[in-house]
Every structure is written in structure tokens, then in C-alpha cells.
mmCIF file of all heavy atoms in Angstrom:
data_model
loop_
_atom_site.group_PDB
_atom_site.id
_atom_site.type_symbol
_atom_site.label_atom_id
_atom_site.label_comp_id
_atom_site.label_asym_id
_atom_site.label_seq_id
_atom_site.Cartn_x
_atom_site.Cartn_y
_atom_site.Cartn_z
ATOM 1 N N LYS R 1 0.830 -1.209 0.000
ATOM 2 C CA LYS R 1 0.000 0.000 0.000
ATOM 3 C C LYS R 1 0.860 1.254 0.000
ATOM 4 O O LYS R 1 0.597 2.219 -0.732
ATOM 5 C CB LYS R 1 -0.915 -0.022 1.217
ATOM 6 C CG LYS R 1 -1.873 1.160 1.275
ATOM 7 C CD LYS R 1 -2.770 1.075 2.506
ATOM 8 C CE LYS R 1 -3.712 2.273 2.572
ATOM 9 N NZ LYS R 1 -4.563 2.226 3.791
ATOM 10 N N SER R 2 1.931 1.245 0.825
ATOM 11 C CA SER R 2 2.833 2.399 0.893
ATOM 12 C C SER R 2 3.532 2.621 -0.448
ATOM 13 O O SER R 2 3.663 3.758 -0.917
ATOM 14 C CB SER R 2 3.861 2.173 1.996
ATOM 15 O OG SER R 2 4.787 3.228 2.049
ATOM 16 N N TYR R 3 3.963 1.514 -1.073
ATOM 17 C CA TYR R 3 4.634 1.611 -2.374
ATOM 18 C C TYR R 3 3.693 2.197 -3.423
ATOM 19 O O TYR R 3 4.072 3.071 -4.207
ATOM 20 C CB TYR R 3 5.114 0.220 -2.791
ATOM 21 C CG TYR R 3 5.600 0.130 -4.211
ATOM 22 C CD1 TYR R 3 6.870 0.575 -4.567
ATOM 23 C CD2 TYR R 3 4.773 -0.393 -5.212
ATOM 24 C CE1 TYR R 3 7.308 0.496 -5.875
ATOM 25 C CE2 TYR R 3 5.208 -0.470 -6.523
ATOM 26 C CZ TYR R 3 6.475 -0.024 -6.851
ATOM 27 O OH TYR R 3 6.907 -0.095 -8.145
ATOM 28 N N GLU R 4 2.446 1.715 -3.444
ATOM 29 C CA GLU R 4 1.482 2.197 -4.434
ATOM 30 C C GLU R 4 1.177 3.680 -4.228
ATOM 31 O O GLU R 4 1.041 4.435 -5.193
ATOM 32 C CB GLU R 4 0.203 1.373 -4.349
ATOM 33 C CG GLU R 4 0.373 -0.050 -4.868
ATOM 34 C CD GLU R 4 -0.881 -0.888 -4.696
ATOM 35 O OE1 GLU R 4 -1.792 -0.439 -3.957
ATOM 36 O OE2 GLU R 4 -0.963 -1.982 -5.294
ATOM 37 N N GLU R 5 1.060 4.102 -2.941
ATOM 38 C CA GLU R 5 0.770 5.509 -2.660
ATOM 39 C C GLU R 5 1.924 6.403 -3.104
ATOM 40 O O GLU R 5 1.715 7.463 -3.705
ATOM 41 C CB GLU R 5 0.495 5.686 -1.163
ATOM 42 C CG GLU R 5 -0.837 5.097 -0.706
ATOM 43 C CD GLU R 5 -1.032 5.204 0.791
ATOM 44 O OE1 GLU R 5 -0.057 5.556 1.493
ATOM 45 O OE2 GLU R 5 -2.154 4.922 1.262
ATOM 46 N N ASN R 6 3.175 5.966 -2.824
ATOM 47 C CA ASN R 6 4.344 6.762 -3.224
ATOM 48 C C ASN R 6 4.484 6.812 -4.737
ATOM 49 O O ASN R 6 4.824 7.855 -5.312
ATOM 50 C CB ASN R 6 5.617 6.172 -2.608
ATOM 51 C CG ASN R 6 5.668 6.361 -1.105
ATOM 52 O OD1 ASN R 6 5.058 7.283 -0.566
ATOM 53 N ND2 ASN R 6 6.380 5.486 -0.411
ATOM 54 N N THR R 7 4.222 5.656 -5.380
ATOM 55 C CA THR R 7 4.308 5.613 -6.844
ATOM 56 C C THR R 7 3.262 6.530 -7.482
ATOM 57 O O THR R 7 3.540 7.264 -8.436
ATOM 58 C CB THR R 7 4.117 4.169 -7.340
ATOM 59 O OG1 THR R 7 5.066 3.319 -6.713
ATOM 60 C CG2 THR R 7 4.286 4.088 -8.850
ATOM 61 N N LEU R 8 2.040 6.486 -6.940
ATOM 62 C CA LEU R 8 0.971 7.340 -7.449
ATOM 63 C C LEU R 8 1.319 8.812 -7.283
ATOM 64 O O LEU R 8 1.050 9.642 -8.168
ATOM 65 C CB LEU R 8 -0.336 7.016 -6.730
ATOM 66 C CG LEU R 8 -1.574 7.789 -7.183
ATOM 67 C CD1 LEU R 8 -1.867 7.515 -8.651
ATOM 68 C CD2 LEU R 8 -2.779 7.433 -6.319
ATOM 69 N N SER R 9 1.969 9.132 -6.168
ATOM 70 C CA SER R 9 2.368 10.516 -5.926
ATOM 71 C C SER R 9 3.375 10.985 -6.980
ATOM 72 O O SER R 9 3.284 12.108 -7.494
ATOM 73 C CB SER R 9 2.967 10.633 -4.530
ATOM 74 O OG SER R 9 3.435 11.933 -4.289
ATOM 75 N N ILE R 10 4.325 10.099 -7.311
ATOM 76 C CA ILE R 10 5.328 10.445 -8.335
ATOM 77 C C ILE R 10 4.659 10.622 -9.697
ATOM 78 O O ILE R 10 4.946 11.567 -10.438
ATOM 79 C CB ILE R 10 6.410 9.346 -8.405
ATOM 80 C CG1 ILE R 10 7.213 9.332 -7.100
ATOM 81 C CG2 ILE R 10 7.329 9.555 -9.605
ATOM 82 C CD1 ILE R 10 8.161 8.153 -6.972
ATOM 83 N N PHE R 11 3.736 9.704 -10.019
ATOM 84 C CA PHE R 11 3.026 9.798 -11.297
ATOM 85 C C PHE R 11 2.254 11.105 -11.392
ATOM 86 O O PHE R 11 2.203 11.738 -12.455
ATOM 87 C CB PHE R 11 2.083 8.603 -11.458
ATOM 88 C CG PHE R 11 2.719 7.399 -12.088
ATOM 89 C CD1 PHE R 11 3.728 6.718 -11.441
ATOM 90 C CD2 PHE R 11 2.320 6.953 -13.336
ATOM 91 C CE1 PHE R 11 4.323 5.619 -12.001
ATOM 92 C CE2 PHE R 11 2.914 5.844 -13.916
ATOM 93 C CZ PHE R 11 3.926 5.168 -13.253
ATOM 94 N N LYS R 12 1.615 11.509 -10.278
ATOM 95 C CA LYS R 12 0.820 12.741 -10.297
ATOM 96 C C LYS R 12 1.694 13.978 -10.445
ATOM 97 O O LYS R 12 1.258 14.995 -10.986
ATOM 98 C CB LYS R 12 -0.017 12.832 -9.023
ATOM 99 C CG LYS R 12 -1.236 11.925 -9.054
ATOM 100 C CD LYS R 12 -2.160 12.202 -7.885
ATOM 101 C CE LYS R 12 -3.458 11.402 -8.006
ATOM 102 N NZ LYS R 12 -4.391 11.686 -6.888
ATOM 103 N N GLU R 13 2.930 13.884 -9.944
ATOM 104 C CA GLU R 13 3.854 15.004 -10.138
ATOM 105 C C GLU R 13 4.194 15.153 -11.617
ATOM 106 O O GLU R 13 4.373 16.255 -12.127
ATOM 107 C CB GLU R 13 5.120 14.782 -9.314
ATOM 108 C CG GLU R 13 4.925 14.990 -7.822
ATOM 109 C CD GLU R 13 6.227 14.818 -7.051
ATOM 110 O OE1 GLU R 13 7.288 14.723 -7.698
ATOM 111 O OE2 GLU R 13 6.173 14.777 -5.809
ATOM 112 N N LEU R 14 4.314 14.001 -12.300
ATOM 113 C CA LEU R 14 4.608 14.045 -13.730
ATOM 114 C C LEU R 14 3.378 14.386 -14.556
ATOM 115 O O LEU R 14 3.472 15.036 -15.596
ATOM 116 C CB LEU R 14 5.171 12.692 -14.191
ATOM 117 C CG LEU R 14 6.515 12.287 -13.580
ATOM 118 C CD1 LEU R 14 6.876 10.868 -13.980
ATOM 119 C CD2 LEU R 14 7.617 13.262 -14.004
ATOM 120 N N ASN R 15 2.225 13.902 -14.078
ATOM 121 C CA ASN R 15 0.982 14.160 -14.801
ATOM 122 C C ASN R 15 -0.153 14.321 -13.780
ATOM 123 O O ASN R 15 -0.641 13.335 -13.226
ATOM 124 C CB ASN R 15 0.688 13.002 -15.752
ATOM 125 C CG ASN R 15 -0.559 13.241 -16.583
ATOM 126 O OD1 ASN R 15 -1.252 14.254 -16.426
ATOM 127 N ND2 ASN R 15 -0.864 12.301 -17.476
ATOM 128 N N PRO R 16 -0.556 15.558 -13.507
ATOM 129 C CA PRO R 16 -1.599 15.807 -12.488
ATOM 130 C C PRO R 16 -2.914 15.112 -12.782
ATOM 131 O O PRO R 16 -3.725 14.910 -11.874
ATOM 132 C CB PRO R 16 -1.758 17.335 -12.533
ATOM 133 C CG PRO R 16 -0.478 17.836 -13.104
ATOM 134 C CD PRO R 16 -0.031 16.792 -14.084
ATOM 135 N N ASN R 17 -3.151 14.753 -14.032
ATOM 136 C CA ASN R 17 -4.414 14.095 -14.385
ATOM 137 C C ASN R 17 -4.404 12.590 -14.122
ATOM 138 O O ASN R 17 -5.395 11.896 -14.366
ATOM 139 C CB ASN R 17 -4.732 14.339 -15.868
ATOM 140 C CG ASN R 17 -4.950 15.811 -16.165
ATOM 141 O OD1 ASN R 17 -5.554 16.509 -15.339
ATOM 142 N ND2 ASN R 17 -4.444 16.274 -17.299
ATOM 143 N N PHE R 18 -3.266 12.074 -13.628
ATOM 144 C CA PHE R 18 -3.144 10.624 -13.397
ATOM 145 C C PHE R 18 -4.011 10.197 -12.212
ATOM 146 O O PHE R 18 -4.093 10.880 -11.208
ATOM 147 C CB PHE R 18 -1.677 10.274 -13.122
ATOM 148 C CG PHE R 18 -1.371 8.826 -13.343
ATOM 149 C CD1 PHE R 18 -1.058 8.358 -14.603
ATOM 150 C CD2 PHE R 18 -1.438 7.934 -12.293
ATOM 151 C CE1 PHE R 18 -0.796 7.027 -14.816
ATOM 152 C CE2 PHE R 18 -1.180 6.606 -12.489
ATOM 153 C CZ PHE R 18 -0.853 6.138 -13.754
ATOM 154 N N ARG R 19 -4.710 9.029 -12.347
ATOM 155 C CA ARG R 19 -5.660 8.599 -11.309
ATOM 156 C C ARG R 19 -5.371 7.209 -10.737
ATOM 157 O O ARG R 19 -5.570 6.976 -9.561
ATOM 158 C CB ARG R 19 -7.093 8.612 -11.882
ATOM 159 C CG ARG R 19 -7.608 10.009 -12.184
ATOM 160 C CD ARG R 19 -7.876 10.764 -10.887
ATOM 161 N NE ARG R 19 -8.361 12.103 -11.140
ATOM 162 C CZ ARG R 19 -7.584 13.167 -11.239
ATOM 163 N NH1 ARG R 19 -6.259 13.051 -11.131
ATOM 164 N NH2 ARG R 19 -8.094 14.370 -11.457
ATOM 165 N N ARG R 20 -4.911 6.265 -11.560
ATOM 166 C CA ARG R 20 -4.861 4.866 -11.096
ATOM 167 C C ARG R 20 -3.651 4.136 -11.675
ATOM 168 O O ARG R 20 -3.318 4.290 -12.841
ATOM 169 C CB ARG R 20 -6.141 4.143 -11.526
ATOM 170 C CG ARG R 20 -6.258 2.711 -11.065
ATOM 171 C CD ARG R 20 -7.682 2.230 -11.282
ATOM 172 N NE ARG R 20 -7.814 0.802 -11.029
ATOM 173 C CZ ARG R 20 -7.800 -0.132 -11.963
ATOM 174 N NH1 ARG R 20 -7.684 0.228 -13.242
ATOM 175 N NH2 ARG R 20 -7.913 -1.409 -11.660
ATOM 176 N N ILE R 21 -2.986 3.312 -10.812
ATOM 177 C CA ILE R 21 -1.838 2.519 -11.245
ATOM 178 C C ILE R 21 -2.281 1.075 -11.449
ATOM 179 O O ILE R 21 -2.865 0.450 -10.571
ATOM 180 C CB ILE R 21 -0.716 2.552 -10.190
ATOM 181 C CG1 ILE R 21 -0.174 3.974 -10.039
ATOM 182 C CG2 ILE R 21 0.419 1.600 -10.581
ATOM 183 C CD1 ILE R 21 0.845 4.116 -8.934
ATOM 184 N N VAL R 22 -1.987 0.570 -12.652
ATOM 185 C CA VAL R 22 -2.262 -0.844 -12.948
ATOM 186 C C VAL R 22 -0.943 -1.590 -13.121
ATOM 187 O O VAL R 22 -0.698 -2.607 -12.482
ATOM 188 C CB VAL R 22 -3.136 -0.983 -14.208
ATOM 189 C CG1 VAL R 22 -3.362 -2.464 -14.522
ATOM 190 C CG2 VAL R 22 -4.468 -0.256 -14.013
ATOM 191 N N ASN R 23 -0.094 -1.074 -14.006
ATOM 192 C CA ASN R 23 1.240 -1.634 -14.237
ATOM 193 C C ASN R 23 2.208 -0.465 -14.245
ATOM 194 O O ASN R 23 2.308 0.271 -15.232
ATOM 195 C CB ASN R 23 1.267 -2.389 -15.568
ATOM 196 C CG ASN R 23 2.605 -3.080 -15.816
ATOM 197 O OD1 ASN R 23 3.659 -2.578 -15.457
ATOM 198 N ND2 ASN R 23 2.534 -4.248 -16.447
ATOM 199 N N SER R 24 2.922 -0.277 -13.137
ATOM 200 C CA SER R 24 3.719 0.940 -12.958
ATOM 201 C C SER R 24 4.781 1.111 -14.047
ATOM 202 O O SER R 24 4.958 2.205 -14.579
ATOM 203 C CB SER R 24 4.377 0.934 -11.575
ATOM 204 O OG SER R 24 5.178 -0.223 -11.413
ATOM 205 N N LYS R 25 5.500 0.038 -14.403
ATOM 206 C CA LYS R 25 6.555 0.172 -15.415
ATOM 207 C C LYS R 25 5.979 0.528 -16.778
ATOM 208 O O LYS R 25 6.465 1.434 -17.463
ATOM 209 C CB LYS R 25 7.340 -1.144 -15.509
ATOM 210 C CG LYS R 25 8.524 -1.070 -16.468
ATOM 211 C CD LYS R 25 9.261 -2.375 -16.521
ATOM 212 C CE LYS R 25 10.485 -2.277 -17.418
ATOM 213 N NZ LYS R 25 10.181 -1.810 -18.788
ATOM 214 N N ALA R 26 4.925 -0.200 -17.178
ATOM 215 C CA ALA R 26 4.324 0.061 -18.489
ATOM 216 C C ALA R 26 3.739 1.454 -18.550
ATOM 217 O O ALA R 26 3.861 2.158 -19.568
ATOM 218 C CB ALA R 26 3.250 -0.989 -18.772
ATOM 219 N N GLN R 27 3.099 1.879 -17.440
ATOM 220 C CA GLN R 27 2.491 3.210 -17.436
ATOM 221 C C GLN R 27 3.543 4.313 -17.431
ATOM 222 O O GLN R 27 3.340 5.375 -18.025
ATOM 223 C CB GLN R 27 1.550 3.340 -16.229
ATOM 224 C CG GLN R 27 0.254 2.531 -16.389
ATOM 225 C CD GLN R 27 -0.599 2.560 -15.146
ATOM 226 O OE1 GLN R 27 -0.303 1.851 -14.196
ATOM 227 N NE2 GLN R 27 -1.638 3.374 -15.159
ATOM 228 N N MET R 28 4.678 4.063 -16.761
ATOM 229 C CA MET R 28 5.757 5.055 -16.786
ATOM 230 C C MET R 28 6.328 5.188 -18.192
ATOM 231 O O MET R 28 6.567 6.310 -18.682
ATOM 232 C CB MET R 28 6.860 4.627 -15.803
ATOM 233 C CG MET R 28 8.073 5.550 -15.811
ATOM 234 S SD MET R 28 7.686 7.238 -15.276
ATOM 235 C CE MET R 28 7.567 6.993 -13.518
ATOM 236 N N ASP R 29 6.530 4.052 -18.870
ATOM 237 C CA ASP R 29 7.029 4.097 -20.256
ATOM 238 C C ASP R 29 6.057 4.862 -21.144
ATOM 239 O O ASP R 29 6.466 5.669 -21.992
ATOM 240 C CB ASP R 29 7.213 2.677 -20.788
ATOM 241 C CG ASP R 29 8.349 1.932 -20.084
ATOM 242 O OD1 ASP R 29 9.187 2.608 -19.459
ATOM 243 O OD2 ASP R 29 8.369 0.683 -20.150
ATOM 244 N N GLN R 30 4.756 4.612 -20.944
ATOM 245 C CA GLN R 30 3.741 5.290 -21.747
ATOM 246 C C GLN R 30 3.747 6.798 -21.476
ATOM 247 O O GLN R 30 3.588 7.614 -22.392
ATOM 248 C CB GLN R 30 2.374 4.694 -21.436
ATOM 249 C CG GLN R 30 1.262 5.182 -22.345
ATOM 250 C CD GLN R 30 -0.061 4.522 -22.024
ATOM 251 O OE1 GLN R 30 -0.227 3.929 -20.964
ATOM 252 N NE2 GLN R 30 -1.002 4.621 -22.940
ATOM 253 N N LEU R 31 3.947 7.146 -20.206
ATOM 254 C CA LEU R 31 3.948 8.560 -19.837
ATOM 255 C C LEU R 31 5.136 9.287 -20.453
ATOM 256 O O LEU R 31 5.017 10.411 -20.939
ATOM 257 C CB LEU R 31 3.989 8.669 -18.306
ATOM 258 C CG LEU R 31 3.732 10.048 -17.710
ATOM 259 C CD1 LEU R 31 2.343 10.560 -18.078
ATOM 260 C CD2 LEU R 31 3.891 10.013 -16.196
ATOM 261 N N LEU R 32 6.284 8.607 -20.472
ATOM 262 C CA LEU R 32 7.475 9.222 -21.056
ATOM 263 C C LEU R 32 7.345 9.367 -22.570
ATOM 264 O O LEU R 32 7.789 10.352 -23.156
ATOM 265 C CB LEU R 32 8.710 8.384 -20.716
ATOM 266 C CG LEU R 32 9.111 8.366 -19.238
ATOM 267 C CD1 LEU R 32 10.262 7.396 -19.008
ATOM 268 C CD2 LEU R 32 9.492 9.767 -18.761
ATOM 269 N N LEU R 33 6.716 8.354 -23.195
ATOM 270 C CA LEU R 33 6.520 8.435 -24.647
ATOM 271 C C LEU R 33 5.556 9.538 -25.024
ATOM 272 O O LEU R 33 5.580 10.060 -26.146
ATOM 273 C CB LEU R 33 6.002 7.091 -25.181
ATOM 274 C CG LEU R 33 7.018 5.937 -25.192
ATOM 275 C CD1 LEU R 33 6.319 4.633 -25.561
ATOM 276 C CD2 LEU R 33 8.151 6.247 -26.169
ATOM 277 N N ALA R 34 4.643 9.851 -24.075
ATOM 278 C CA ALA R 34 3.646 10.890 -24.357
ATOM 279 C C ALA R 34 4.264 12.279 -24.434
ATOM 280 O O ALA R 34 3.672 13.218 -24.950
ATOM 281 C CB ALA R 34 2.554 10.863 -23.303
ATOM 282 N N ILE R 35 5.442 12.393 -23.871
ATOM 283 C CA ILE R 35 6.112 13.701 -23.920
ATOM 284 C C ILE R 35 6.781 13.846 -25.285
ATOM 285 O O ILE R 35 7.650 13.055 -25.648
ATOM 286 C CB ILE R 35 7.160 13.823 -22.795
ATOM 287 C CG1 ILE R 35 6.487 13.665 -21.431
ATOM 288 C CG2 ILE R 35 7.885 15.148 -22.885
ATOM 289 C CD1 ILE R 35 7.469 13.647 -20.275
ATOM 290 N N ASP R 36 6.367 14.819 -26.038
ATOM 291 C CA ASP R 36 6.912 15.030 -27.381
ATOM 292 C C ASP R 36 8.378 15.403 -27.276
ATOM 293 O O ASP R 36 8.744 16.370 -26.594
ATOM 294 C CB ASP R 36 6.134 16.162 -28.072
ATOM 295 C CG ASP R 36 6.524 16.317 -29.532
ATOM 296 O OD1 ASP R 36 7.519 15.686 -29.976
ATOM 297 O OD2 ASP R 36 5.828 17.072 -30.235
ATOM 298 N N SER R 37 9.200 14.616 -27.944
ATOM 299 C CA SER R 37 10.651 14.865 -27.868
ATOM 300 C C SER R 37 11.020 16.241 -28.416
ATOM 301 O O SER R 37 12.028 16.826 -28.036
ATOM 302 C CB SER R 37 11.405 13.770 -28.632
ATOM 303 O OG SER R 37 10.987 13.749 -29.984
ATOM 304 N N ASN R 38 10.210 16.761 -29.355
ATOM 305 C CA ASN R 38 10.486 18.096 -29.904
ATOM 306 C C ASN R 38 10.283 19.187 -28.877
ATOM 307 O O ASN R 38 10.826 20.267 -28.983
ATOM 308 C CB ASN R 38 9.592 18.363 -31.122
ATOM 309 C CG ASN R 38 9.927 17.415 -32.272
ATOM 310 O OD1 ASN R 38 11.085 17.060 -32.459
ATOM 311 N ND2 ASN R 38 8.893 17.034 -33.031
ATOM 312 N N GLU R 39 9.436 18.877 -27.867
ATOM 313 C CA GLU R 39 9.178 19.876 -26.838
ATOM 314 C C GLU R 39 10.235 19.841 -25.753
ATOM 315 O O GLU R 39 10.332 20.748 -24.946
ATOM 316 C CB GLU R 39 7.797 19.635 -26.220
ATOM 317 C CG GLU R 39 6.663 19.851 -27.198
ATOM 318 C CD GLU R 39 5.329 19.588 -26.547
ATOM 319 O OE1 GLU R 39 5.326 19.268 -25.332
ATOM 320 O OE2 GLU R 39 4.302 19.701 -27.226
ATOM 321 N N ALA R 40 10.983 18.791 -25.693
ATOM 322 C CA ALA R 40 11.986 18.663 -24.642
ATOM 323 C C ALA R 40 13.237 19.428 -25.056
ATOM 324 O O ALA R 40 14.188 18.872 -25.584
ATOM 325 C CB ALA R 40 12.317 17.193 -24.410
ATOM 326 N N LYS R 41 13.235 20.721 -24.872
ATOM 327 C CA LYS R 41 14.333 21.583 -25.292
ATOM 328 C C LYS R 41 15.326 21.739 -24.162
ATOM 329 O O LYS R 41 14.948 21.786 -22.995
ATOM 330 C CB LYS R 41 13.781 22.952 -25.683
ATOM 331 C CG LYS R 41 12.768 22.864 -26.823
ATOM 332 C CD LYS R 41 12.156 24.224 -27.078
ATOM 333 C CE LYS R 41 11.109 24.149 -28.177
ATOM 334 N NZ LYS R 41 10.469 25.462 -28.420
ATOM 335 N N PRO R 42 16.620 21.849 -24.502
ATOM 336 C CA PRO R 42 17.637 22.078 -23.454
ATOM 337 C C PRO R 42 17.435 23.441 -22.825
ATOM 338 O O PRO R 42 17.209 24.427 -23.518
ATOM 339 C CB PRO R 42 18.966 21.986 -24.224
ATOM 340 C CG PRO R 42 18.623 22.267 -25.651
ATOM 341 C CD PRO R 42 17.236 21.753 -25.853
ATOM 342 N N LEU R 43 17.507 23.500 -21.527
ATOM 343 C CA LEU R 43 17.246 24.733 -20.787
ATOM 344 C C LEU R 43 18.541 25.329 -20.264
ATOM 345 O O LEU R 43 19.472 24.603 -19.893
ATOM 346 C CB LEU R 43 16.290 24.450 -19.627
ATOM 347 C CG LEU R 43 14.925 23.862 -19.994
ATOM 348 C CD1 LEU R 43 14.117 23.619 -18.721
ATOM 349 C CD2 LEU R 43 14.174 24.777 -20.952
ATOM 350 N N ASP R 44 18.576 26.655 -20.187
ATOM 351 C CA ASP R 44 19.709 27.360 -19.601
ATOM 352 C C ASP R 44 19.440 27.499 -18.116
ATOM 353 O O ASP R 44 18.619 28.317 -17.687
ATOM 354 C CB ASP R 44 19.847 28.746 -20.258
ATOM 355 C CG ASP R 44 21.039 29.524 -19.706
ATOM 356 O OD1 ASP R 44 21.770 28.935 -18.856
ATOM 357 O OD2 ASP R 44 21.218 30.676 -20.111
ATOM 358 N N LEU R 45 20.144 26.694 -17.326
ATOM 359 C CA LEU R 45 19.925 26.686 -15.880
ATOM 360 C C LEU R 45 21.047 27.375 -15.123
ATOM 361 O O LEU R 45 21.299 27.090 -13.958
ATOM 362 C CB LEU R 45 19.776 25.221 -15.393
ATOM 363 C CG LEU R 45 18.605 24.438 -15.993
ATOM 364 C CD1 LEU R 45 18.619 23.003 -15.481
ATOM 365 C CD2 LEU R 45 17.288 25.116 -15.667
#
């Protein structure tokens, strides 16, 4: 239960619209693929 709650918290930080974890690895891969690589621009930090 603690693992699922922490994982859900991380997912929500990446995507506030996230609601439910079924397969954490597969869903993380899907979430990363959803980010358009063209939008991932190098930032001046």
C-alpha cells in the first residue's frame, strides 16, 4: 500500500491528471513516450 501511494504521488507530479496505477513500469514508459521529444528543449539553468 505504501509503495502504491508513493508511486501514485510520483506519477501525479509528472501528470496531475493521473488517477490509477495498474502496471507501474508500463504506465511510466507510456507517460514518457507521451512527452513530445520536440518539446523537450535544453534549458539554460
